[in-house]
Structures are given as structure tokens and as C-alpha cells.
Amino acid sequence: MIFRQLFERESSTYTYLIGCEETREAVLIDTVKSELDNYLKLLNQLDLKLICVLDTHTHADHITAAGALRTETGALTLLGEQANSFCVSKSLHDGDSISVGNINIRALHTPGHTSDSYCFVLEDQGQTYAFTGDTLLIRGTGRTDFQNGSASQQYQSLTQKLLTLPDHTWVYPGHDYKGWTRSTIGEEKAHNPRLQAQDEAAYVSIMNNLKLPNPVLMDIAVPANKACGNT
Amino acid sequence: MIFRQLFERESSTYTYLIGCEETREAVLIDTVKSELDNYLKLLNQLDLKLICVLDTHTHADHITAAGALRTETGALTLLGEQANSFCVSKSLHDGDSISVGNINIRALHTPGHTSDSYCFVLEDQGQTYAFTGDTLLIRGTGRTDFQNGSASQQYQSLTQKLLTLPDHTWVYPGHDYKGWTRSTIGEEKAHNPRLQAQDEAAYVSIMNNLKLPNPVLMDIAVPANKACGNT
């Protein structure tokens, strides 16, 4: 499997490129529109054909390159059915499988950060990879106070879905603000402060008292992303 | 093998943590002093004992945490013999091996960016990792215009040492300014613009005409790093 983690500094977003070494098909997860040319260049250099662009949710802090990549490459753009996006090629449902050459990506609906949040899971050479979007961050979790977010649902998504993955699973988040690039499910279970909450009520109490300001780009990014970034 | 790539945003430095899963011994490569507490916390959380701190060279753009980590953990600090550093625990020589539990790290002297530049190479589960410092960057190479740098020597270090590693070798550089986290030797051979130079003279000509300003921190960082960061 070809794998690259890319970092967009302004929004501290991680974008992931996953490609099949045999068929040369590839997928990008959580793209940033300003990086479009870099994605096209890298795909070309690695001799990969982009067939699919996934977003873990409708982002509020950056604009997706999904629509532009579809225009440039013909790739399908996918986003959770809960996004009610009029422009995606196809809506994602919980449990969907996405095939990228010999790689099989499972989509898990993990509402909480937003109602349309998904995580993507794959296996390669005995290693499980989880692309956890803004549901599970390294030593944190995504805020739950807008876009139909729900701390209660997020607790269920974390405990019933993500934390049931094997402890050695690599966690590749949608963002990191401290320079950490990956973690594992076992590490997060043990050391993520929010996952030490005793029960759902304790978790909800933590999340409902964060008192964070709205993302600067929110009023621009959310409608733009519902339109696949085609502003 | 336990492996983490960490990014320090101010100087765009990558720091690498490598640990042996069995003995729990670990090494850090190219640390940044302001991140000291984060390293100690991560080592503690991952149940790792730091035994060695490596620097790929005497940095001009950030201050190493080597001395502070030695004080805190008792780890040895290592730097190339060419650095003439009075404070390191031990000087590195070309071809040295560093054992970290079951992991064997080879030190390659790769002068060019500075006269004391080293790269570190290891194998894990059939994968070769090269920590290339400022000798080989993703789609670039480190400047050669100070600290006894030499474009001619760098050309030799690249062509005679680094580029002779297998094409699938992962390249983990000392810095990246565009959000790229790793590459491969094959990819750099094919797509690194500087490695397309026809011969040593052409490479030297490119490097001697970069006309870059000095790093902002140079006059502070170089003497500080010769003192293991103990300013």
C-alpha cells in the first residue's frame, strides 16, 4: 500500500493519500482546497489515478478540495448521507465498503462532532489504520457544539465503535495542533484525558463546558463544503 | 518497533522517536528544546526509557533538547566527531552502530549541508528507514553555504551513500516546509529537482546560486547546539 500523510499548516489539517501498489488506484481523505495543485502533482509523480475523495464530515475549519479534484480527475466524491449534500457523487452509509484496488476501506458512522461524522478503517499487512477525522484526536476529541453535534452520541461512537478496534490500531486524526502525527487506540484509551471520563454523563459534562469560540471560517466553510468546495 | 514522527512548527523540524517494543529502550533524533516536556511525557506514556539522543548535525535553526534530556533521563547524547562539541557523551564516526534494544541504527557520515552531517539508517520488518537530516529533504536538499558546508561533498554524500539505499527506503527528513511527512529514495531519485543535476559540477552550480539569507537563529543556535543546547 502506498501511504502519505500530508499536513496543511493554516488549518492544521491532515490529509491522507492511500494507493494500491498494483492497480495504482488511490483515494484522498480530508483534502484542503488550497493544496489542490500539490495533490495533483503528487498523484502524478507517484503514478496514481485518483478514483475517490472522502471527507470524514462537513468541515467547519477549511474548504474541501473534493469538487475541484472531481473536476480535474473524474474521481467520485463521497460524504455521509447525513450531510444532505446536493453535490456529492455518492452518499456514505454506516458499514459501507470502498474498494481502492486491493485495499478495502470500511466506513463507520461516528456521529458526535457533527451528525455526519464518519471514520475510515483499513487493514494492510497485519496493521489496522483508523482515519478518525474529528471524532478522535490525539489526546483529545472533536468539539460537539455545532452542526448537530452531540457529546452523548460522540461518547457512544467512541466507546462502541472506535475503542473496540484492536489496541495496536494506528490512529490518524483529521487535525493535530501540537505536532503529533499518529497514535494508537491503546495509547488513546490509556492517555487521552477525555477518554478517562467514568461514564457518558461525565463525558457530556466535560464536552458541554469547553466554551470554545466558533471556528473563524465556519460561516464560509460549512456552506462551501456542502457544495463540495465549489465556492 | 515503536515509531513516532513529531513536528515542531516554529522551525518546521521533524523529531523522531524510535523504541524497542521488547526492551522498552528508545532513542530520539533531532530534538527541539522547547518541546522537552512533551518528549518526557510521551516517553512516560509509552513506557519507554530514553537511552540515547542523536543529532544529525549542529543545527542552525533550532536549539537541541539533547543536553536537557541527558540531565532529565541520563540518556547519552551523540553528535558527529566533526562537530568538535565539548559536551556530547560520545562522538559519532562514519559506520558506527547504535543499538536500541533489538533495533540497530547505522550512522552514515554525509557531509555537505555541514561538515558534521550524519544520516541514520535502520531496518524493521523488511522496511528500511533513513533519517536524512538536512542532507536529503523531500524534493530538496539542505543548503551548503555555512558551517563548513560543501555542495561538492553533498553531491558525493547523496550519490555515493543515500541514493545507493534501496528504492523503497522511507526518507524521513529533518525538516519540511510544505506539509510532506515522508518520501522514498526511489521517489526522490525520480522527482527531487536537485537530484536531476547531470553531474557534480551542475549540482554545485545550483547550490552555489541559491542566495539564501542566513537562518534567523543561526548566531544563537550554533553555539548553543555545540553546548548540547545548554544555553
Side-chain angles (χ1 to χ4, degrees), chain A residues 108-156:
Chain A
L108 304 180
H109 183 218
T110 52
H113 171 60
T114 61
S115 56
D116 65 353
S117 287
Y118 279 70
C119 295
F120 302 110
V121 179
L122 64 82
E123 317 269 340
D124 181 62
Q125 297 189 319
Q127 178 62 51
T128 309
Y129 294 62
F131 301 93
T132 59
D134 293 9
T135 301
L136 178 60
L137 305 173
I138 300 178
R139 310 297 191 264
T141 56
R143 62 194 293 173
T144 55
D145 57 337
F146 54 67
Q147 286 176 263
N148 302 315
S150 158
S152 175
Q153 284 184 355
Q154 192 173 58
Y155 184 81
Q156 294 302 323

Side-chain angles (χ1 to χ4, degrees), chain A residues 4 9 12 45 187, chain B residues 4 9 12 45 139 187:
Chain A
R4 291 291 185 282
R9 191 183 280 250
S12 296
Q45 290 183 344
E187 204 180 309
Chain B
R4 291 291 184 282
R9 191 183 282 250
S12 296
Q45 289 182 345
R139 310 295 192 265
E187 203 179 311

Side-chain angles (χ1 to χ4, degrees), chain A residues 88-187:
Chain A
V88 290
S89 313
K90 209 173 134 191
S91 287
L92 279 171
H93 309 269
D94 185 41
D96 276 359
S97 277
I98 302 136
S99 289
V100 184
N102 301 329
I103 303 156
N104 182 49
I105 300 173
R106 266 186 306 143
L108 304 180
H109 183 218
T110 52
H113 171 60
T114 61
S115 56
D116 65 353
S117 287
Y118 279 70
C119 295
F120 302 110
V121 179
L122 64 82
E123 317 269 340
D124 181 62
Q125 297 189 319
Q127 178 62 51
T128 309
Y129 294 62
F131 301 93
T132 59
D134 293 9
T135 301
L136 178 60
L137 305 173
I138 300 178
R139 310 297 191 264
T141 56
R143 62 194 293 173
T144 55
D145 57 337
F146 54 67
Q147 286 176 263
N148 302 315
S150 158
S152 175
Q153 284 184 355
Q154 192 173 58
Y155 184 81
Q156 294 302 323
S157 295
L158 289 163
T159 56
Q160 303 303 308
K161 290 192 172 171
L162 283 181
L163 301 187
T164 65
L165 294 170
D167 276 358
H168 70 262
T169 301
W170 280 338
V171 171
Y172 281 107
H175 298 279
D176 191 84
Y177 305 93
K178 302 180 307 295
W180 298 45
T181 55
R182 86 171 179 216
S183 183
T184 66
I185 287 291
E187 204 180 309

Side-chain angles (χ1 to χ4, degrees), chain A residues 1-10 12 14 35 38 42 44-46 139 170 176-184 187 191, chain B residues 1-10 12 14 35 38 42 44-46 139 170 176-184 187 191:
Chain A
M1 186 174 90
I2 292 157
F3 177 62
R4 291 291 185 282
Q5 180 178 30
L6 305 166
F7 182 65
E8 195 281 317
R9 191 183 280 250
E10 200 176 334
S12 296
Y14 283 126
E35 295 293 304
N38 287 332
L42 183 58
N44 182 47
Q45 290 183 344
L46 297 184
R139 310 297 191 264
W170 280 338
D176 191 84
Y177 305 93
K178 302 180 307 295
W180 298 45
T181 55
R182 86 171 179 216
S183 183
T184 66
E187 204 180 309
H191 302 296
Chain B
M1 186 174 92
I2 293 157
F3 177 63
R4 291 291 184 282
Q5 179 178 29
L6 306 166
F7 183 65
E8 196 281 318
R9 191 183 282 250
E10 201 175 334
S12 296
Y14 283 126
E35 295 293 304
N38 287 332
L42 184 56
N44 182 45
Q45 289 182 345
L46 297 184
R139 310 295 192 265
W170 280 338
D176 191 84
Y177 305 93
K178 303 180 307 294
W180 297 44
T181 56
R182 86 171 179 218
S183 183
T184 66
E187 203 179 311
H191 301 296

Side-chain angles (χ1 to χ4, degrees), chain B residues 7 13 22 39 46 53 57 70 72 75-76 79 92 106-107 110 123 134 140-142 176 178 187 196-197 200:
Chain B
F7 183 65
T13 298
E22 287 176 40
Y39 303 142
L46 297 184
V53 186
H57 62 290
R70 185 173 59 187
E72 294 287 339
L76 298 180
L79 185 61
L92 280 171
R106 264 185 308 142
T110 52
E123 316 269 341
D134 293 8
T141 55
D176 191 84
K178 303 180 307 294
E187 203 179 311
Q196 310 313 309
E200 183 177 318

